[in-house]
Amino acid sequence: MSNRYKPGRVIKAPENFIDSSLSQAITKDGLNEERRDFIRKSFVAASAAIASTAAVAKAAAFEGDPLILNHTDYDQTLGLPVASNPYGVPSKYETNLIRRESPGLTQVGGASVAFAPLQGLFGIITPSGLHFERHHQGWQDMDPAKHRFMVMGMVKNPKVYTMDDIMRLPSVSRIHFLECGANTATEWGNVAVPTVQYTHGMVSCSEFTGVPLSVFLDDVGYDKKNAKFILAEGADGSGMTRTINIENALDDVIVAYGQNGEMLRPENGYPLRLVVPGVQGVSSVKWLRRIEVGDMPYGAKDEVSHYVDLMPNGMTRQYTSIQEAKSVITSPSGGQVLVGKGFYNITGLAWSGRGKIKAVDVSTDGGRTWRRARLETPVLSKAFTRFNIDWVWDGSPALLQSRAVDDTGYVQPTINQLREVRGTKSIYHNNAIQTWRVADFGEVTNVQVK
Ligand SMILES: Nc1nc2c(c(=O)[nH]1)N[C@H]1C(S)=C(S)[C@@H](COP(=O)(O)O)O[C@H]1N2
Ligand SMILES: [Mo]
């Protein structure tokens, strides 16, 4: 098996790639008396980057753990007063789990990406403070009292709404993923980055609250006969404009102000953004200030020079907006270290821009054999679906993969299948099966199976 994978070009991980809070530390029997010690040892092991797992396992023998036998500072002192954190923040022991900028990407005029730490997240909701960020010209914290939203073009009564006007309209709350079309861009040519945060961290999933766009279109009396497209425009300096076809616009597009139970975060478009479910992130225009109704695609700059796919024959695919079914194992994943043989929970995320996830299969031998994973509920349309599957690692090298199938029957392709059709020059829309290699000493790395 060792010659079936191709390590490729791996950028050396800076120290902070090894996230000590994420190391795998579950013993064969699950939660036994050794576990606490294992966890402590594995923290040490993981921070030392690649530790000798044999030594860690030996040192973990239980000899009466003082941390369970004795009193601690916590039960001998007064706790902190209620509301001393008026807006709750994560524990000081969780400071490693943050959005990160890739050291390999340059910042131009505030245009950059902060990747979500998928390796450390549970369930299907991305905490708002960890939702990935993609700005074409930085972010602004806009005054909601001064924010205006205009709907115009091929309509009977063009209107300008204040935030107060918008909050009075009928609202919906829906859970949807948002994925940048450039997510996993680094892996088109070869293996490029070491962790799932950088390979897949330009996707997140939130419960968005807002007003269906169709409510606004009806309110202004859009031209039902001739309207074919809308243009959405943001209020930031990037001049972000996107064409959306009218069927989508009338279907499930939301003019959102809420995210995970509170107002949007400034980085995600406060006080108002578009959410175009299933479509590449760029169409979900943030700081939304204008919708124009028209009868032709607008061919805006971000639709002509960006978010098009360069094909092997030199032509480009344009307006390829739907994010096809995709999945990735988030743990164990690149940069983590397994601390000894035995039981592990393999967990990951699957999503499809076309609907619901029907199944996720997991392989531990690079795609030769597959087992069906458990899908955790809820399984929602155009949202993250969490999958889990048991795995007993025998200590030999393994190649972990997940493969999603959506309810249209579409099966997530291998990287080679994708390259056969699309070549290697694309930046966008890479939904290939991801492979993580587990070495016999437990280190997990990003590889591509030949
Ligand atoms: N006004 C505006 N809207 C925008 C952008 C932007 O730079 N300006 N970036 C787009 C891109 S490319 C993506 S992938 C998503 C990212 O949304 P997020 O930052 O909330 O994750 O917002 C889109 N909407
Ligand atoms: Mo994007």
Side-chain angles (χ1 to χ4, degrees), residues 194-205:
T195 68
V196 72
Q197 181 155 12
Y198 297 107
T199 57
H200 288 75
M202 276 200 272
V203 64
S204 296
C205 185

PDB file of all heavy atoms in Angstrom, residues 194-205:
ATOM      1  N   PRO A 194      -1.255  21.601   4.725  1.00  0.00           N
ATOM      2  CA  PRO A 194      -1.188  20.443   5.607  1.00  0.00           C
ATOM      3  C   PRO A 194      -2.454  20.087   6.400  1.00  0.00           C
ATOM      4  O   PRO A 194      -2.544  18.973   6.889  1.00  0.00           O
ATOM      5  CB  PRO A 194      -0.060  20.811   6.573  1.00  0.00           C
ATOM      6  CG  PRO A 194      -0.062  22.299   6.601  1.00  0.00           C
ATOM      7  CD  PRO A 194      -0.519  22.759   5.262  1.00  0.00           C
ATOM      8  N   THR A 195      -3.372  21.019   6.580  1.00  0.00           N
ATOM      9  CA  THR A 195      -4.481  20.728   7.495  1.00  0.00           C
ATOM     10  C   THR A 195      -5.840  20.950   6.820  1.00  0.00           C
ATOM     11  O   THR A 195      -5.946  21.667   5.827  1.00  0.00           O
ATOM     12  CB  THR A 195      -4.449  21.641   8.747  1.00  0.00           C
ATOM     13  OG1 THR A 195      -4.740  22.968   8.313  1.00  0.00           O
ATOM     14  CG2 THR A 195      -3.094  21.597   9.445  1.00  0.00           C
ATOM     15  N   VAL A 196      -6.890  20.378   7.419  1.00  0.00           N
ATOM     16  CA  VAL A 196      -8.239  20.532   6.884  1.00  0.00           C
ATOM     17  C   VAL A 196      -8.697  21.991   6.995  1.00  0.00           C
ATOM     18  O   VAL A 196      -9.540  22.440   6.229  1.00  0.00           O
ATOM     19  CB  VAL A 196      -9.227  19.564   7.584  1.00  0.00           C
ATOM     20  CG1 VAL A 196      -9.520  19.990   9.016  1.00  0.00           C
ATOM     21  CG2 VAL A 196     -10.526  19.441   6.791  1.00  0.00           C
ATOM     22  N   GLN A 197      -8.125  22.715   7.941  1.00  0.00           N
ATOM     23  CA  GLN A 197      -8.474  24.137   8.050  1.00  0.00           C
ATOM     24  C   GLN A 197      -8.137  24.857   6.741  1.00  0.00           C
ATOM     25  O   GLN A 197      -8.923  25.681   6.277  1.00  0.00           O
ATOM     26  CB  GLN A 197      -7.718  24.775   9.226  1.00  0.00           C
ATOM     27  CG  GLN A 197      -8.054  26.252   9.415  1.00  0.00           C
ATOM     28  CD  GLN A 197      -7.837  26.737  10.818  1.00  0.00           C
ATOM     29  OE1 GLN A 197      -7.226  26.065  11.648  1.00  0.00           O
ATOM     30  NE2 GLN A 197      -8.351  27.917  11.114  1.00  0.00           N
ATOM     31  N   TYR A 198      -6.998  24.505   6.140  1.00  0.00           N
ATOM     32  CA  TYR A 198      -6.573  25.176   4.907  1.00  0.00           C
ATOM     33  C   TYR A 198      -7.059  24.480   3.638  1.00  0.00           C
ATOM     34  O   TYR A 198      -7.219  25.137   2.611  1.00  0.00           O
ATOM     35  CB  TYR A 198      -5.048  25.325   4.888  1.00  0.00           C
ATOM     36  CG  TYR A 198      -4.565  26.203   6.008  1.00  0.00           C
ATOM     37  CD1 TYR A 198      -3.913  25.664   7.100  1.00  0.00           C
ATOM     38  CD2 TYR A 198      -4.823  27.562   5.992  1.00  0.00           C
ATOM     39  CE1 TYR A 198      -3.505  26.466   8.151  1.00  0.00           C
ATOM     40  CE2 TYR A 198      -4.426  28.377   7.035  1.00  0.00           C
ATOM     41  CZ  TYR A 198      -3.771  27.823   8.114  1.00  0.00           C
ATOM     42  OH  TYR A 198      -3.385  28.611   9.149  1.00  0.00           O
ATOM     43  N   THR A 199      -7.301  23.156   3.698  1.00  0.00           N
ATOM     44  CA  THR A 199      -7.817  22.503   2.491  1.00  0.00           C
ATOM     45  C   THR A 199      -9.305  22.781   2.322  1.00  0.00           C
ATOM     46  O   THR A 199      -9.790  22.913   1.209  1.00  0.00           O
ATOM     47  CB  THR A 199      -7.617  20.970   2.518  1.00  0.00           C
ATOM     48  OG1 THR A 199      -8.241  20.433   3.692  1.00  0.00           O
ATOM     49  CG2 THR A 199      -6.147  20.591   2.473  1.00  0.00           C
ATOM     50  N   HIS A 200     -10.058  22.833   3.442  1.00  0.00           N
ATOM     51  CA  HIS A 200     -11.521  22.896   3.357  1.00  0.00           C
ATOM     52  C   HIS A 200     -12.165  24.003   4.194  1.00  0.00           C
ATOM     53  O   HIS A 200     -13.393  24.059   4.284  1.00  0.00           O
ATOM     54  CB  HIS A 200     -12.128  21.551   3.778  1.00  0.00           C
ATOM     55  CG  HIS A 200     -11.913  20.464   2.756  1.00  0.00           C
ATOM     56  ND1 HIS A 200     -10.705  19.849   2.572  1.00  0.00           N
ATOM     57  CD2 HIS A 200     -12.759  19.888   1.871  1.00  0.00           C
ATOM     58  CE1 HIS A 200     -10.815  18.941   1.609  1.00  0.00           C
ATOM     59  NE2 HIS A 200     -12.050  18.946   1.163  1.00  0.00           N
ATOM     60  N   GLY A 201     -11.354  24.860   4.810  1.00  0.00           N
ATOM     61  CA  GLY A 201     -11.904  25.823   5.774  1.00  0.00           C
ATOM     62  C   GLY A 201     -12.599  27.035   5.191  1.00  0.00           C
ATOM     63  O   GLY A 201     -12.921  27.972   5.920  1.00  0.00           O
ATOM     64  N   MET A 202     -12.852  27.030   3.866  1.00  0.00           N
ATOM     65  CA  MET A 202     -13.652  28.125   3.292  1.00  0.00           C
ATOM     66  C   MET A 202     -15.097  27.682   3.131  1.00  0.00           C
ATOM     67  O   MET A 202     -15.786  28.035   2.170  1.00  0.00           O
ATOM     68  CB  MET A 202     -13.076  28.588   1.954  1.00  0.00           C
ATOM     69  CG  MET A 202     -11.959  29.599   2.119  1.00  0.00           C
ATOM     70  SD  MET A 202     -11.691  30.546   0.614  1.00  0.00           S
ATOM     71  CE  MET A 202     -10.546  29.498  -0.231  1.00  0.00           C
ATOM     72  N   VAL A 203     -15.561  26.861   4.078  1.00  0.00           N
ATOM     73  CA  VAL A 203     -16.974  26.494   4.139  1.00  0.00           C
ATOM     74  C   VAL A 203     -17.385  26.553   5.605  1.00  0.00           C
ATOM     75  O   VAL A 203     -16.570  26.262   6.493  1.00  0.00           O
ATOM     76  CB  VAL A 203     -17.227  25.094   3.520  1.00  0.00           C
ATOM     77  CG1 VAL A 203     -16.542  23.999   4.299  1.00  0.00           C
ATOM     78  CG2 VAL A 203     -18.718  24.807   3.380  1.00  0.00           C
ATOM     79  N   SER A 204     -18.602  26.972   5.841  1.00  0.00           N
ATOM     80  CA  SER A 204     -19.151  27.051   7.196  1.00  0.00           C
ATOM     81  C   SER A 204     -20.647  26.863   7.077  1.00  0.00           C
ATOM     82  O   SER A 204     -21.185  26.868   5.963  1.00  0.00           O
ATOM     83  CB  SER A 204     -18.839  28.413   7.831  1.00  0.00           C
ATOM     84  OG  SER A 204     -17.444  28.590   8.002  1.00  0.00           O
ATOM     85  N   CYS A 205     -21.316  26.702   8.204  1.00  0.00           N
ATOM     86  CA  CYS A 205     -22.772  26.471   8.169  1.00  0.00           C
ATOM     87  C   CYS A 205     -23.426  27.185   9.340  1.00  0.00           C
ATOM     88  O   CYS A 205     -22.969  27.059  10.476  1.00  0.00           O
ATOM     89  CB  CYS A 205     -23.034  24.961   8.227  1.00  0.00           C
ATOM     90  SG  CYS A 205     -24.762  24.495   8.036  1.00  0.00           S
TER      91      CYS A 205
END
